[in-house]
């Protein structure tokens, strides 16, 4: 616990939490007398008095409705301080082909890796977990983390942060009964708030045993994961169907399920939906709904600029913000089609 609460670690955590958010009211208030606030935070961490604050909730609707939970700024400093300590410990254990929320990984490298596998293998099995963050079981998560973290004070801090998410996504979760459950299973604490730095990290920790199972026990060399989206590659369809059943059973031990409708084995030549793209062995396309949403969004911003509601630089930032990710697809014709309305 001394390492989490060390002055240098808290100072680094504050800088990370404040990055790009200096104009935010909570960040600005914390920065006023920051040394005093960090010392007070350090004291509460060391004497065990620190408790998470309440979340502020809001919803986003692109690409689908999600409930986002924002922790108080001081809590985000604690989250960064904890992750500064734990991430290097777990990073050494994570498989290379887990791409979410890790330094040097990310969406585009996940797409590159998927396409590399599509060039090497004939068939693919895509799996995604039903309501991943609302379904994460606290007892199982604490057991997984506790296998690596031996400091009781750090584990107590981990448990408090995890417990703060209990019930935050309760409306998103429909009870699922697993073999051996009794009526008390409905009362198991579960759920991680979407938006927390720690939630993203806990997610990777939670699914790490599954990654090892697929790579080592099943022997799947063509496997990658991005948060709760997984892809398994092989040349044999029957082998992939067998692996699907094994993965579903292993996920049940984590109290998770997959979307059965989309969990199908298919030839890679039919295209693989993946992180907003449809990936083929030879090329990539942007998902059609992404193009429709972009056209609507850019039209709204263009109309706002013409009315004088926003500046041209703000409109241009929206355009560049769309072009930057779609350039990773074979999308020259799409970009020309979408943007031609805004050429004058």
């Amino acid at each position: 616990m001394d390492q989490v609460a060390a002055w240098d670690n808290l100072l680094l955590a504050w800088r990370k939490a404040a990055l790009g958010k200096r104009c935010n009211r909570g960040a600005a208030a914390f920065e006023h007398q920051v040394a005093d606030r960090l010392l007070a935070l350090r004291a509460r961490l060391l004497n065990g008095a620190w408790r998470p604050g309440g979340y502020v909730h809001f919803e986003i609707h692109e690409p689908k409705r999600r409930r986002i939970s924002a922790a108080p700024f001081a809590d985000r400093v604690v989250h960064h301080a904890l992750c500064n300590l734990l991430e290097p410990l777990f990073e050494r254990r994570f498989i290379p082909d887990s791409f979410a929320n890790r330094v040097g990984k990310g969406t585009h490298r996940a797409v590159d890796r998927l396409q590399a596998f599509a060039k090497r293998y004939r068939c693919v099995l895509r799996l995604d977990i039903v309501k991943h963050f609302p379904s994460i079981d606290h007892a199982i998560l604490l057991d997984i983390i506790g296998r690596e973290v031996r400091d009781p004070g750090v584990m107590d801090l981990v448990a408090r942060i995890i417990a703060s998410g209990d019930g935050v996504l309760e409306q998103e979760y429909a009870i699922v009964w697993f073999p051996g459950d009794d009526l008390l299973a409905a009362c198991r604490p579960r759920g991680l708030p979407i938006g927390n730095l720690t939630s993203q990290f806990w997610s990777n920790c939670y699914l790490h045993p599954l990654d090892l199972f697929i790579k080592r026990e099943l022997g799947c060399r063509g496997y990658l994961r991005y948060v709760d989206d997984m892809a398994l590659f092989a040349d044999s369809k029957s082998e992939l169907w067998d692996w699907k059943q094994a993965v579903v059973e292993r996920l049940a031990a984590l109290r998770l399920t997959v979307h059965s409708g989309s969990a199908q084995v298919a030839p890679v030549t039919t295209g693989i939906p993946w992180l907003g793209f449809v990936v083929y062995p030879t090329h990539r396309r942007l998902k059609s709904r992404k193009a429709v949403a972009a056209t609507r969004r850019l039209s709204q911003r263009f109309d706002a600029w013409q009315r004088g509601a926003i500046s041209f630089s703000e409109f241009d930032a929206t355009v560049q913000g769309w072009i930057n990710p779609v350039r990773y697809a074979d999308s020259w014709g799409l970009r020309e089609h979408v943007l031609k309305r805004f050429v004058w």
Side-chain angles (χ1 to χ4, degrees), residues 10-29:
L10 288 177
L11 188 61
L12 175 62
W14 164 67
R15 287 172 176 160
K16 287 183 175 180
L19 188 63
K21 296 181 174 63
R22 291 290 178 85
C23 295
N24 177 277
R25 180 178 298 179

Side-chain angles (χ1 to χ4, degrees), residues 33-52:
Q33 298 180 327
V34 62
D36 291 340
R37 295 181 188 277
L38 289 177
L39 287 171
L41 194 59
R42 168 180 161 81
R44 291 198 300 275
L45 287 169
L46 288 175
N47 65 23
W50 181 84
R51 297 291 184 275

Side-chain angles (χ1 to χ4, degrees), residues 58-340:
F58 58 94
E59 291 188 352
I60 61 173
H61 297 271
E62 289 288 349
K64 57 186 178 182
R65 189 184 68 82
R66 295 180 185 273
R67 191 184 197 216
I68 306 299
S69 302
F73 183 80
D75 286 14
R76 279 176 264 163
V77 174
V78 175
H79 297 169
H80 277 281
L82 182 62
C83 288
N84 287 345
L85 178 69
L86 296 189
E87 281 183 354
L89 177 65
F90 281 88
E91 185 65 30
R92 297 193 295 267
R93 292 160 172 77
F94 290 157
I95 65 168
D97 287 324
S98 167
F99 285 90
N101 309 306
R102 297 175 65 190
V103 175
K105 303 289 185 179
T107 303
H108 301 308
R109 293 193 178 185
V111 174
D112 289 342
R113 185 62 165 162
L114 183 96
Q115 190 169 48
F117 282 141
K119 293 176 180 178
R120 192 183 309 172
Y121 297 96
R122 295 172 52 200
C123 303
V124 62
L125 167 65
R126 272 204 62 244
L127 301 169
D128 63 300
I129 295 170
V130 177
K131 298 294 183 181
H132 174 52
F133 283 100
S135 303
I136 290 179
D137 187 89
H138 291 187
I140 296 174
L141 177 58
L142 286 168
D143 178 65
I144 291 171
I145 297 171
R147 297 172 198 170
E148 307 295 338
V149 179
R150 305 299 182 186
D151 187 318
V154 174
M155 279 306 300
D156 181 62
L157 178 60
V158 168
R160 290 180 188 178
I161 294 174
I162 291 174
S164 71
D166 184 25
V168 167
L169 296 174
E170 185 176 5
Q171 294 180 345
E172 307 284 330
Y173 181 80
I175 187 69
V176 177
W177 300 99
F178 295 94
D181 278 354
D182 55 23
L183 292 178
L184 293 177
C187 303
R188 293 178 68 102
R190 64 176 65 86
L192 297 179
I194 299 172
N196 264 10
L197 170 71
T198 49
S199 297
Q200 300 165 11
F201 176 57
W202 303 147
S203 170
N204 278 336
C205 295
Y206 198 81
L207 292 178
H208 175 59
L210 177 71
D211 295 338
L212 296 181
F213 171 74
I214 294 172
K215 296 287 282 186
R216 296 179 181 179
E217 296 188 39
L218 296 185
C220 178
R221 295 186 177 183
Y223 166 72
L224 74 161
R225 178 176 61 80
Y226 190 94
V227 191
D228 59 329
D229 288 321
M230 296 165 276
L232 291 77
F233 290 83
D235 290 323
S236 167
K237 285 188 175 182
S238 61
E239 186 172 41
L240 285 172
W241 283 118
D242 291 342
W243 286 352
K244 175 190 172 182
Q245 184 58 38
V247 171
V248 168
E249 291 174 1
R250 183 53 63 102
L251 280 170
L254 295 172
R255 305 189 66 81
L256 298 173
T257 58
V258 299
H259 287 100
S260 57
S262 60
Q264 304 296 322
V265 175
V268 296
T269 52
T270 61
I272 309 165
W274 186 250
L275 304 181
F277 299 91
V278 180
V279 181
Y280 299 83
T282 55
H283 62 285
R284 308 169 187 176
R285 300 293 188 199
L286 192 71
K287 280 187 175 179
S288 58
R289 63 175 173 81
K290 292 281 188 178
V292 171
T295 302
R296 182 172 61 249
R297 171 68 172 163
L298 290 172
S299 296
Q300 292 171 347
R301 297 291 281 177
F302 181 73
D303 292 342
W305 170 62
Q306 289 194 314
R307 295 194 312 269
I310 62 173
S311 66
F312 177 77
S313 62
E314 290 176 300
F315 170 64
D316 183 59
T318 303
V319 173
Q320 298 303 322
W322 177 70
I323 291 176
N324 186 54
V326 302
R327 65 188 173 90
Y328 288 92
D330 299 278
S331 60
W332 180 257
L334 173 65
R335 282 180 273 170
E336 185 178 31
H337 172 74
V338 170
L339 297 176
K340 67 182 179 180

